[in-house]
Amino acid sequence: MKLLRLEKLILFACLTGIFSVSRASQDAVDQAVWSVAQNAQDLSFRQGTRQGEFASCELIYSYPYRDHRAYKGAPLIVRGSISSNLIQNKPFNYLLKVVPIRLVFDPKTKEFGHLVLAPEAASMKVNGQTMKPYLVQSFKCEDRGLCVGYAGKPTDAGLLLIMTSLDTVPFDAQIFFSASKNGFDESFKLSDLKPEDPKKTNEQLRYEFSQCLLNLVQKQMDSMDVKK
C-alpha cells in the first residue's frame, strides 16, 4: 500500500467522525488509523527489465499490525518486497525488504506526518525452508527500513533447488522481523495477504512470481552455458 494511501486513511477517519483533529492525541490517531488500516493489506507482482531485457521478479506487500513490544501497541504498516535479480555470472539470489511506517500526529501544530522505522532484524522462510544458510548481508535500504540479501554459493545448489521446486508448489514466504534488538519476532505469510488487484487471487500472484523465478533461473543457466 502506497504512503499516500496511509495519509488518506487518517483523512477518511477525520471526515467520517472517527476522531476530531481538535481533540486529537497520538493515542486517538493510533486508534483511528487502526480502525481503518487493520484491513489495509495487499500483495502485487511485478516483472522488471534492464535495458529492455527481462531481469527481475518482485512480490510487493503491505502488512498492518499493532506493535505491542516496541511501540506500545501503535499501528504500523510494514511495506516491502521479495525480489530476485538476474546478475550475470553471479549466484541466484533473493532480496527481502522490510520497511515499517508509523503515522504520527503533532498536537501543537495539528499536523500529520510519518516515521519510517528501521527494524533491528528481519529474515524469511521460503516454502517452509529457512534462508539462513544463504544469508549474505543485512543493510539499510535506500528509503530506510532493512534489506536482507540471500544468495547461493557456486558449490551449493540448495537455493537453486528451492527455486526450481516452485514448478510444483507456488512460492510462499513467511517474513519475520523485530523492531527491538534481541526482541521477539513479528511474522506473517504472503499467502495470507489480499491481492491489490481484485481481479486476481493471492495464489495467482504467487504462481506468476514462481513462473517468473523459473524463467529467471533458466536465463541465468543459459548465460552460464554461453560463457562456457
Side-chain angles (χ1 to χ4, degrees), residues 118-150:
E120 292 289 337
S123 61
M124 68 175 181
K125 289 183 178 180
V126 172
N127 289 11
Q129 300 188 58
T130 180
M131 293 290 102
K132 190 174 181 179
Y134 312 106
L135 175 64
V136 177
Q137 63 176 334
S138 298
F139 56 94
K140 289 184 179 179
C141 309
E142 290 182 2
D143 53 353
R144 305 182 69 180
L146 185 66
C147 285
V148 185
Y150 300 93

Side-chain angles (χ1 to χ4, degrees), residues 2-226:
K2 296 180 180 179
L3 185 58
L4 178 60
R5 289 175 59 190
L6 284 177
E7 295 169 345
K8 284 182 177 179
L9 288 176
I10 200 67
L11 176 60
F12 174 82
C14 293
L15 293 176
T16 54
I18 294 176
F19 80 94
S20 168
V21 173
S22 63
R23 304 192 308 272
S25 64
Q26 186 60 53
D27 285 343
V29 170
D30 288 346
Q31 290 295 333
V33 170
W34 185 247
S35 68
V36 183
Q38 58 186 317
N39 295 316
Q41 54 172 259
D42 56 53
L43 184 69
S44 60
F45 163 69
R46 181 170 63 189
Q47 181 173 295
T49 60
R50 185 182 299 115
Q51 297 180 350
E53 297 291 329
F54 166 56
S56 71
C57 311
E58 184 175 30
L59 275 178
I60 305 164
Y61 65 82
S62 291
Y63 170 74
Y65 80 105
R66 301 201 72 161
D67 195 314
H68 294 280
R69 297 188 177 100
Y71 293 99
K72 300 180 180 179
L76 276 68
I77 302 283
V78 180
R79 299 173 60 215
S81 63
I82 296 175
S83 60
S84 185
N85 300 309
L86 177 65
I87 303 175
Q88 295 292 337
N89 305 318
K90 295 292 184 179
F92 305 105
N93 63 83
Y94 280 124
L95 180 65
L96 168 65
K97 186 176 183 180
V98 181
V99 186
I101 297 172
R102 183 185 182 190
L103 194 65
V104 294
F105 174 75
D106 187 334
K108 294 181 180 179
T109 63
K110 307 298 182 185
E111 293 181 348
F112 296 103
H114 64 273
L115 293 176
V116 180
L117 310 173
E120 292 289 337
S123 61
M124 68 175 181
K125 289 183 178 180
V126 172
N127 289 11
Q129 300 188 58
T130 180
M131 293 290 102
K132 190 174 181 179
Y134 312 106
L135 175 64
V136 177
Q137 63 176 334
S138 298
F139 56 94
K140 289 184 179 179
C141 309
E142 290 182 2
D143 53 353
R144 305 182 69 180
L146 185 66
C147 285
V148 185
Y150 300 93
K153 298 177 182 178
T155 57
D156 183 0
L159 185 58
L160 174 59
L161 290 174
I162 292 173
M163 293 177 79
T164 54
S165 70
L166 300 175
D167 191 30
T168 55
V169 181
F171 180 93
D172 194 11
Q174 184 171 10
I175 297 173
F176 302 86
F177 61 96
S178 176
S180 57
K181 193 172 184 179
N182 299 320
F184 292 104
D185 291 329
E186 302 284 350
S187 72
F188 63 95
K189 284 187 175 182
L190 296 186
S191 54
D192 292 332
L193 302 180
K194 297 177 182 178
E196 184 177 50
D197 183 351
K199 297 179 181 179
K200 293 189 176 182
T201 66
N202 177 290
E203 187 173 3
Q204 284 176 320
L205 291 173
R206 293 184 294 110
Y207 177 79
E208 289 177 2
F209 183 66
S210 299
Q211 294 305 303
C212 184
L213 288 177
L214 291 171
N215 291 336
L216 203 66
V217 168
Q218 186 60 57
K219 189 167 184 178
Q220 179 76 359
M221 294 177 68
D222 289 344
S223 68
M224 294 171 68
D225 288 340
V226 169

